[in-house]
Amino acid sequence: VRVKEASMVSLARLNEVITDNIVVFGILKTKLESLNSDIVRMGKSYGASVVAALSQEARSFFDCYKRLAPTVSVIRSSLDEMILSSRTVSSPEYQNELRKALGRLEEWEALCDNIENLAPQ
């Protein structure tokens, strides 16, 4: 019973970490989309210096993403280990939480792919 409880607590914490990171990465994605849009829109009217400043800001946000991105693979590894060891904790609640974590992780990975496509030029 203690192993099951500890596993549920670990999995619940992992779900919280994934959710928190989806929020952070979502903010980065929104900011990069906004800056890229501003670069295109303002580049026509305001010239090179404004575009350079906006491009630098976009690079800063993308660099922040690049520093955080390895977290995804660390969480993926942890979740993969939990899935492998889930055979010893076969409760329906645990299996359900595992599926939920996997779905959220895939959402986070897709968000990362979207951010990669917003890389500043």
Side-chain angles (χ1 to χ4, degrees):
V1 174
R2 290 202 188 277
V3 171
K4 178 181 169 185
E5 289 173 6
S7 296
M8 283 298 286
V9 169
S10 295
L11 187 52
R13 181 65 192 122
L14 190 67
N15 264 321
E16 289 174 16
V17 168
I18 292 169
T19 299
D20 291 348
N21 276 288
I22 286 172
V23 170
V24 170
F25 281 57
I27 291 168
L28 287 171
K29 177 181 171 271
T30 300
K31 188 63 178 171
L32 282 166
E33 286 171 336
S34 174
L35 285 165
N36 286 344
S37 174
D38 288 349
I39 288 168
V40 170
R41 188 172 40 82
M42 292 182 177
K44 297 172 184 161
S45 308
Y46 294 97
S49 62
V50 170
V51 169
L54 291 170
S55 295
Q56 181 56 46
E57 188 175 355
R59 273 190 295 285
S60 295
F61 276 96
F62 194 76
D63 289 346
C64 180
Y65 157 75
K66 282 299 201 185
R67 285 190 299 277
L68 294 171
T71 310
V72 179
S73 59
V74 171
I75 298 297
R76 168 60 82 176
S77 295
S78 296
L79 188 57
D80 287 345
E81 285 177 30
M82 292 174 124
I83 289 169
L84 285 174
S85 66
S86 72
R87 294 178 185 100
T88 60
V89 184
S90 59
S91 76
E93 302 93 5
Y94 188 75
Q95 296 299 325
N96 187 41
E97 286 297 311
L98 267 178
R99 279 191 292 282
K100 186 165 60 170
L102 188 58
R104 298 290 286 161
L105 181 64
E106 289 168 353
E107 180 183 340
W108 185 13
E109 290 169 334
L111 189 53
C112 289
D113 290 342
N114 290 335
I115 293 172
E116 288 288 338
N117 292 330
L118 296 171
Q121 304 306 321

